[in-house]
Amino acid sequence: MYIYRMKTVKYSVLKTLCCGTAALLFFSCGSSNVEPAPVKAEENPVVVEEKQTPPAADDPVPEPVVQNDADDEYSRSVGAVSVSRDTFAEDKARILKIIEDLSKVMRDMDYKSWLTYVDAESINYYSQSSNLKKAQSRLPVKGLKLNNLQDYFKYVFVPARRDRTVTEIRYISDKYIKAIQVQENQDIVYYYFNKINGYWMVHIPPIE
């Protein structure tokens, strides 16, 4: 009887311990904080670019200013004279065309045609014997006489200009221009032009 009671007590104690341990384990698992698994960083993250707002149609868009030889020639040609780029281009084209025509006139020694290109002031001046003598004294060939304007055309005007190349113009005023060749940073003047009644005419400066 005694032995049976002892076994019963041991069984009760063991049962209580087992139940308590199980409850302890249950509450322990329930109350523990479960940390989330670390998120693996993406190897190629997506970068969102900010979109720039394009300028409105009315907004001016600055453009780079390109300096070129044409701009340099315009500045050299015009200097302090007030002439637009369009006028400069037009004047130069007309004068170069006249010089081209004069080249043919000089090759053919066409005196009558030459007179149509020269202004009246120059024709009158070099038709005077006193002024022809001045021009004669400057001739490289001594003993050659200039008796009239045709002689001046033949012995002075043509030799000084035939087969010469004019590349640029220079404004003295908006109605008076030099036609030149640029050579080793020097301006070699071959023609002067007066604008008369809208037409460019050859002007031969008087001898000082």
Side-chain angles (χ1 to χ4, degrees):
M1 186 71 175
Y2 176 75
I3 294 172
Y4 173 76
R5 290 177 63 187
M6 290 297 292
K7 287 181 179 181
T8 302
V9 170
K10 288 181 180 179
Y11 175 75
S12 298
V13 171
L14 185 58
K15 184 178 179 180
T16 302
L17 287 173
C18 288
C19 290
T21 302
L24 207 63
L25 288 172
F26 175 77
F27 285 112
S28 245
C29 292
S31 61
S32 62
N33 294 325
V34 180
E35 295 183 358
V39 179
K40 185 178 180 181
E42 294 181 8
E43 294 180 357
N44 297 317
V46 178
V47 179
V48 179
E49 296 181 357
E50 293 184 1
K51 293 183 178 180
Q52 296 182 354
T53 304
D58 292 335
D59 291 342
V61 180
E63 295 180 357
V65 178
V66 180
Q67 297 293 336
N68 52 41
D69 291 341
D71 291 334
D72 294 339
E73 182 185 346
Y74 170 75
S75 300
R76 289 195 304 268
S77 299
V78 171
V81 180
S82 180
V83 176
S84 70
R85 292 178 184 274
D86 290 341
T87 301
F88 158 70
E90 183 179 342
D91 287 343
K92 181 181 177 182
R94 287 183 177 180
I95 286 172
L96 291 182
K97 180 61 171 63
I98 293 171
I99 293 173
E100 182 182 349
D101 294 341
L102 279 170
S103 296
K104 184 178 183 304
V105 168
M106 289 186 289
R107 283 196 305 269
D108 297 340
M109 297 300 291
D110 188 349
Y111 170 68
K112 290 183 178 180
S113 294
W114 175 73
L115 290 174
T116 64
Y117 290 91
V118 183
D119 64 13
E121 180 183 344
S122 301
I123 291 174
N124 291 333
Y125 181 87
Y126 285 95
S127 294
Q128 298 176 25
S129 58
S130 58
N131 295 327
L132 287 171
K133 286 182 180 179
K134 291 179 184 178
Q136 179 180 299
S137 65
R138 295 189 174 190
L139 290 174
V141 179
K142 301 303 179 183
L144 185 62
K145 293 184 178 181
L146 302 178
N147 297 310
N148 49 46
L149 183 58
Q150 187 169 0
D151 285 346
Y152 179 88
F153 166 72
K154 182 178 180 180
Y155 297 115
V156 180
F157 188 90
V158 173
R161 295 164 181 84
R162 185 168 48 195
D163 299 327
R164 305 297 183 181
T165 301
V166 172
T167 54
E168 296 187 12
I169 62 174
R170 296 287 185 268
Y171 284 87
I172 300 172
S173 73
D174 60 342
K175 290 181 173 57
Y176 193 38
I177 284 177
K178 295 185 290 186
I180 68 164
Q181 180 184 32
V182 180
Q183 193 174 69
E184 296 180 356
N185 297 323
Q186 291 183 342
D187 293 353
I188 302 175
V189 182
Y190 288 118
Y191 297 91
Y192 290 88
F193 286 89
N194 260 331
K195 195 172 189 178
I196 302 171
N197 298 324
Y199 294 95
W200 288 105
M201 304 292 293
V202 173
H203 177 72
I204 306 172
I207 299 171
E208 299 296 337

